[in-house]
């Protein structure tokens, strides 16, 4: 009896603990995405493109690291550290396969406010050069990087806290017009911050509300102090960068390796500056001494955390929003999924851990991500390879960059922001789709350049919510549900098979960013459920028919069953009479639904579409220009399906 009890107790104990072990493994795979893709990495197919992409990415990481460190008001060498450690952390915890994390212009600009406020340039005379200090830098430089690292630490802690609170589910509030306007406005701020280097001017640090306009007012007041040599070198650098990058983009299919024009320009400018001694002869400002190696880790100063809360929240929100938009765009382009909440954890740790290694705040940059697209990167291995090359630069090549003119570095940064600045072209699209989205874009951009990126982002979200709340009561729907499935119950003697394959779904709510994702999810669930049920019925009926035919012909039901016929195309009619208004996110999701259904062999027709909805779909990407997609009524869509079905049957008979 005792043995039976022990055996029963052992069974219960194993049942209690075995699932916990499996749950822990699943949790590790979910929170460490590298465990999912690394074991299945294909060396033959992916290593070569990842290596080439990693080399090109390393060039961008080095140049942007130097420039964004200066933009953050710290020594340039700390930008190289910021291009190394965050990329490694994100490769382990991040889900975006083409997201290159590192130094970022927007977060650098935000952290510069805290650095200039707590360690102003006027305090430099109070500190002296210390031979025993880290990397031989002055105490003034170490105090500045301490503040920037503290901003990175606190911003990362806020992002990790948002992950713990599952706030990734609230990302639907960040609509595409708001993100586009915020990033464009922030890019405008970055270009403005580089004006003093492009013109070779000495300018005090200007920030705060309307600081954007004060900078240009100062430039025009002191226009005589512009150095012609710096201006000409900046214009030449911008022309060369734009021209070569456009040629690379145009002929990228014909050439296997694109020309790293950034690297070539840096080498040429540094060599020319060294040979001609431009720093003394023409008064050009250069990057300056870059020490070798990585210092031992040190905790950021905790006594300044209470003074940098505003900047930390700005880094956490702006960095996450810009990075998430790139991760979602990458996932949409290459057909994989990204967990919004996991991205909070990945970027939070990418800010917290590197802050102990003298790193400035980090995030993903559009230019680096676009570079990974164009060079054919496959996985995060490209980012890890770039980290190896950045490490080589830190320990050996870094000191050779000390002769690089600041105007050339500023030119590289301005051209690298091209992807953000050309988002002005989206205004035409928003105007044709939804003029309210156009107004939100304009107002968010104005608030961003007048105040700051985080203020513009907050204004855009609040403005979008207020407009949607004001528009929803005008919706002509009485149903709380987003969708209502209607089974087609009409049957005829001649074409009963077609009617079984037609499904009508009525959309009873407006299509806006609040319900766009749920609309897509619910519709795909209905289609998948219907396909599974139809497949089971088809398999049963085909099995019965084959068994009957075999029994009639051979007198034996156990003969080999004939191969089933391929599944016929099914039809879906979306009744859009309930779509009383929409925005860009809703129309984009409707077009995406059409494309997803088409890939599943589901022919989609739209009924009761308004003229404005049809026009908006054309601007968002016309689903199919070869055949009609929208119809005046459900009956008209059904008639079109029947006619196409009959034509296909006639063609089949003619082939026989």
């Amino acid at each position: 009896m005792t043995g039976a009890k022990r055996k029963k107790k052992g069974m219960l104990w194993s049942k209690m603990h075995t699932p916990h072990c499996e749950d822990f493994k699943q949790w590790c795979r979910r929170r460490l995405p590298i465990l999912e893709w690394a074991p299945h990495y294909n060396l033959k197919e992916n290593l070569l493109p990842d290596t080439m992409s990693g080399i090109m990415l390393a060039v961008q990481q080095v140049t942007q690291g130097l420039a964004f460190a200066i933009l953050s008001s710290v020594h340039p060498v700390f930008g190289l550290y910021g291009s190394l450690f965050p990329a490694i952390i994100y490769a382990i915890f991040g889900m975006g396969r083409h997201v290159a994390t590192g130094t970022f212009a927007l977060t650098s600009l935000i952290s510069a406010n805290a650095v200039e406020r707590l360690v102003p340039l006027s305090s430099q005379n109070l500190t002296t050069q210390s031979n025993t200090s880290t990397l031989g830098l002055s105490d003034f430089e170490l105090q500045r990087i301490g503040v920037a690292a503290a901003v990175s630490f606190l911003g990362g802690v806020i992002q990790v806290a948002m992950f713990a609170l599952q706030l990734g589910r609230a990302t639907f509030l960040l609509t595409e017009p708001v993100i586009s306007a915020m990033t464009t406005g922030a890019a405008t701020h970055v270009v403005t911050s580089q004006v003093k280097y492009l013109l070779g001017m000495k300018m005090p640090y200007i920030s705060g509300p309307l600081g954007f306009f004060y900078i240009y007012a100062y430039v025009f007041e002191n226009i005589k102090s512009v150095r012609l040599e710096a201006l000409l070198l900046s214009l030449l650098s911008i022309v060369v960068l734009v021209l070569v990058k456009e040629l690379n983009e145009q002929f990228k299919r014909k050439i296997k390796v694109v020309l790293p024009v950034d690297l070539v320009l840096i080498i040429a400018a540094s060599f020319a500056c060294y040979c001609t001694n431009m720093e003394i002869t023409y008064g050009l400002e250069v990057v300056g001494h870059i020490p070798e190696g990585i210092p031992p880790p040190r905790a950021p100063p905790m006594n300044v955390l209470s003074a940098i809360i505003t900047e930390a929240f700005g880094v956490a929100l702006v960095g996450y929003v810009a990075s998430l938009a790139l991760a979602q765009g990458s996932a949409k382009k290459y057909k994989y999924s990204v967990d919004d909440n996991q991205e909070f954890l990945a970027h939070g740790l990418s800010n917290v851990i590197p802050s102990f290694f003298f790193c400035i705040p980090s995030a993903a940059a559009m230019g680096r991500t676009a570079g990974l697209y164009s060079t054919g990167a496959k996985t995060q291995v490209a980012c890890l390879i770039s980290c190896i090359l950045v490490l080589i630069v830190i320990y050996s090549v870094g000191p050779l960059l000390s002769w690089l003119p600041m105007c050339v570095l500023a030119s590289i940064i301005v051209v690298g922001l091209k992807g953000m600045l050309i988002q002005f072209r989206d205004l035409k699209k928003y105007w044709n789709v939804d003029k309210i989205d156009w107004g939100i874009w304009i107002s968010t951009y104005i608030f961003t350049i007048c105040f700051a990126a985080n203020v513009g982002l907050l204004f855009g979200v609040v403005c979008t919510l207020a407009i949607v709340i004001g528009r929803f009561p005008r919706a002509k729907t009485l149903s709380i549900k987003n969708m209502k499935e209607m089974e087609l119950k009409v049957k005829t003697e001649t074409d009963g098979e077609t009617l079984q394959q037609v499904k009508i779904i009525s959309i009873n709510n407006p299509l806006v960013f609040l319900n766009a994702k749920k609309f897509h999810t619910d519709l795909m669930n209905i289609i998948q459920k219907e396909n599974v049920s139809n497949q089971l019925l088809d398999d049963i009926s085909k099995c019965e028919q084959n068994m009957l035919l075999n029994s009639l012909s051979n007198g034996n039901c156990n003969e080999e069953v004939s191969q089933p016929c391929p599944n016929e195309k099914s039809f879906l009619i979306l009744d859009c009479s309930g779509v009383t208004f929409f925005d860009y996110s809703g129309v984009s999701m409707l077009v995406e639904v059409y494309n997803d259904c088409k890939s599943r062999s589901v022919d989609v027709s739209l009924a009761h579409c308004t003229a404005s909805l049809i026009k908006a779909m054309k601007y968002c990407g016309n689903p199919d220009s070869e055949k009609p997609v929208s119809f005046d009524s459900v009956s008209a869509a059904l008639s079109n399906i029947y006619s196409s079905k009959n034509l296909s049957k006639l063609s089949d008979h003619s082939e026989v």
Side-chain angles (χ1 to χ4, degrees):
M1 190 71 178
T2 306
K5 287 184 177 180
R6 289 179 178 176
K7 185 176 181 181
K8 186 176 181 181
K9 185 177 180 181
M11 292 176 62
L12 292 174
W13 182 262
S14 62
K15 288 181 180 180
M16 290 175 63
H17 284 75
T18 301
H20 289 293
C21 183
E22 293 297 327
D23 292 342
F24 178 74
K25 291 180 180 179
Q26 293 180 2
W27 183 88
C28 289
R29 294 192 190 100
R30 190 168 64 251
R31 297 306 171 205
L32 298 171
I34 193 173
L35 299 178
E36 287 288 338
W37 59 266
H40 309 288
Y41 186 77
N42 193 327
L43 290 174
K44 293 182 179 180
E45 295 183 1
N46 298 337
L47 184 59
L48 181 59
D50 281 344
T51 302
M52 299 306 299
S53 299
I55 295 173
M56 301 301 297
L57 178 60
V59 176
Q60 289 182 304
Q61 290 278 35
V62 171
T63 55
Q64 293 182 359
L66 295 174
F68 293 157
I70 296 173
L71 182 62
S72 189
S73 298
V74 298
H75 194 276
V77 71
F78 299 120
L80 297 179
Y81 305 154
S83 301
L84 174 65
F85 294 103
I88 298 174
I89 302 300
Y90 184 83
I92 298 173
F93 293 93
M95 300 186 70
R97 300 175 189 172
H98 298 80
V99 174
T101 304
T103 55
F104 187 43
L106 309 188
T107 54
S108 298
L109 200 63
I110 294 173
S111 65
N113 294 331
V115 172
E116 294 288 347
R117 189 179 73 251
L118 298 179
V119 190
L121 195 61
S122 58
S123 64
Q124 185 175 8
N125 298 328
L126 303 178
T127 59
T128 58
Q129 183 78 20
S130 176
N131 295 327
T132 59
S133 64
T134 304
L135 298 176
L137 299 176
S138 65
D139 293 336
F140 172 76
E141 294 290 354
L142 294 179
Q143 290 175 10
R144 285 201 151 195
I145 187 57
V147 174
V151 173
S152 177
F153 173 80
L154 187 56
V157 170
I158 293 173
Q159 289 175 330
V160 173
M162 290 179 175
F163 158 77
L165 295 174
Q166 301 288 314
L167 293 183
R169 300 175 181 177
T171 54
F172 68 90
L173 298 173
L174 305 172
T175 62
E176 184 175 334
V178 172
I179 296 176
S180 174
M182 184 272 294
T183 53
T184 306
T188 308
H189 271 296
V190 176
V191 172
T192 302
S193 67
Q194 299 299 305
V195 167
K196 62 180 180 180
Y197 299 117
L198 295 173
L199 302 179
M201 297 179 61
K202 297 292 184 181
M203 182 187 303
Y205 181 78
I206 301 175
S207 64
L210 304 180
F212 173 84
F213 303 100
Y214 292 142
I215 291 175
Y216 286 104
Y218 183 90
V219 169
F220 286 113
E221 289 176 359
N222 300 271
I223 196 68
K224 294 182 180 180
S225 62
V226 173
R227 290 189 178 274
L228 186 60
E229 297 84 359
L231 177 59
L232 293 177
L233 188 55
S234 300
L235 292 176
L236 179 62
S237 301
I238 292 174
V239 170
V240 171
L241 288 169
V242 172
L243 183 61
V244 176
K245 288 190 175 184
E246 288 296 328
L247 291 176
N248 283 339
E249 187 68 23
Q250 186 175 358
F251 296 103
K252 65 180 180 180
R253 295 182 179 179
K254 297 181 180 180
I255 55 178
K256 295 182 179 179
V257 181
V258 297
L259 177 64
V261 61
D262 295 348
L263 179 62
V264 173
L265 183 62
I266 288 174
I267 296 174
S270 300
F271 182 75
C273 185
Y274 174 78
C275 294
T276 60
N277 202 8
M278 292 183 182
E279 183 182 8
I280 299 176
T281 306
Y282 302 106
L284 292 181
E285 186 178 359
V286 297
V287 171
H289 172 66
I290 298 179
E292 296 179 0
I294 299 176
R298 179 190 297 179
M302 301 298 172
N303 57 335
V304 300
L305 295 183
S306 59
I308 59 172
I309 293 178
T310 303
E311 288 80 8
F313 268 102
V315 164
L317 295 178
V318 173
Y320 172 76
V321 169
S323 303
L324 180 64
L326 295 175
Q328 290 177 340
S330 172
K332 185 177 180 180
K333 184 174 183 179
Y334 292 97
K335 307 299 181 182
Y336 63 91
S337 61
V338 170
D339 184 358
D340 298 347
N341 208 53
Q342 176 66 22
E343 291 298 293
F344 261 131
L345 177 64
H347 289 289
L349 295 178
S350 297
N351 278 313
V352 171
I353 297 176
S355 67
F356 290 84
F357 294 90
F358 303 91
C359 292
I360 60 178
S362 65
M366 181 180 292
R368 295 194 296 265
T369 302
L372 291 177
Y373 288 162
S374 60
T375 53
K378 302 297 182 182
T379 63
Q380 279 290 327
V381 172
C383 296
L384 295 177
I385 292 174
S386 72
C387 292
I388 297 174
L389 299 177
V390 171
L391 195 62
I392 295 174
V393 172
I394 292 174
Y395 276 96
S396 59
V397 186
L400 301 179
L401 301 174
S402 59
W403 291 95
L404 178 63
M406 288 298 302
C407 58
V408 175
L409 194 58
S411 301
I412 294 175
I413 296 307
V414 170
V415 176
L417 294 171
K418 175 188 172 185
M420 292 184 181
L421 295 175
I422 62 175
Q423 291 180 129
F424 280 106
R425 297 184 301 185
D426 295 340
L427 284 173
K428 181 180 179 182
K429 176 177 61 178
Y430 296 134
W431 178 266
N432 290 306
V433 174
D434 185 14
K435 292 179 176 56
I436 293 181
D437 277 347
W438 182 88
I440 291 175
W441 198 102
I442 293 293
S443 57
T444 302
Y445 176 79
I446 293 174
F447 264 76
T448 301
I449 63 172
C450 289
F451 299 99
N454 50 351
V455 177
L457 178 64
L458 181 61
F459 170 80
V461 171
V462 173
C463 185
T464 303
L465 284 175
I467 290 175
V468 170
I469 292 173
R471 293 173 78 183
F472 253 104
R474 299 195 307 240
K476 299 179 181 179
T477 176
L478 300 176
S479 177
I480 300 177
K481 298 180 180 179
N482 291 321
M483 303 169 61
K484 181 176 68 176
E485 184 180 356
M486 298 172 59
E487 297 287 350
L488 191 63
K489 298 181 179 179
V490 182
K491 293 184 179 180
T492 62
E493 297 179 358
T494 58
D495 205 4
E497 183 182 2
T498 303
L499 291 173
Q500 292 176 1
Q501 296 176 348
V502 177
K503 183 169 283 292
I504 302 174
I505 295 178
S506 177
I507 307 173
N508 291 333
N509 272 335
L511 279 179
V512 293
F513 71 97
L514 288 172
N515 61 353
K517 287 186 178 179
K518 191 173 189 304
F519 163 71
H520 180 274
T521 303
D522 292 346
L523 186 58
M524 291 298 107
N525 289 338
I526 290 175
I527 293 174
Q528 185 175 5
K529 180 181 177 182
E530 185 67 18
N531 288 341
V532 171
S533 60
N534 286 342
Q535 183 66 31
L536 291 174
L537 292 174
D538 290 344
D539 292 343
I540 294 173
S541 61
K542 288 177 182 177
C543 181
E544 292 176 350
Q545 291 174 6
N546 290 328
M547 291 176 64
L548 179 60
L549 290 174
N550 289 332
S551 62
L552 291 176
S553 59
N554 300 327
N556 186 6
C557 293
N558 296 325
E559 296 291 332
E560 183 180 356
V561 180
S562 60
Q563 294 294 329
C565 299
N567 292 332
E568 296 184 2
K569 179 180 290 188
S570 56
F571 299 90
L572 172 66
I573 299 176
L574 291 179
D575 184 3
C576 301
S577 58
V579 184
T580 53
F581 64 87
F582 51 86
D583 64 2
Y584 181 81
S585 300
V587 178
S588 299
M589 190 60 69
L590 188 59
V591 175
E592 184 177 345
V593 161
Y594 179 89
N595 295 328
D596 289 347
C597 291
K598 190 175 181 180
S599 64
R600 297 169 181 255
S601 298
V602 179
D603 198 351
V604 180
S605 301
L606 305 178
H608 297 114
C609 291
T610 60
S612 58
L613 179 59
I614 297 173
K615 181 181 177 182
M617 291 181 66
K618 290 181 179 179
Y619 281 101
C620 289
N622 193 13
D624 202 337
S625 58
E626 298 179 357
K627 59 182 180 179
V629 176
S630 58
F631 300 90
D632 296 333
S633 62
V634 175
S635 59
L638 284 171
S639 301
N640 180 72
I641 293 174
Y642 297 154
S643 61
S644 62
K645 187 74 174 179
N646 292 331
L647 286 175
S648 63
K649 287 185 176 181
L650 289 175
S651 63
D652 293 340
H653 287 303
S654 63
E655 291 177 0
V656 175

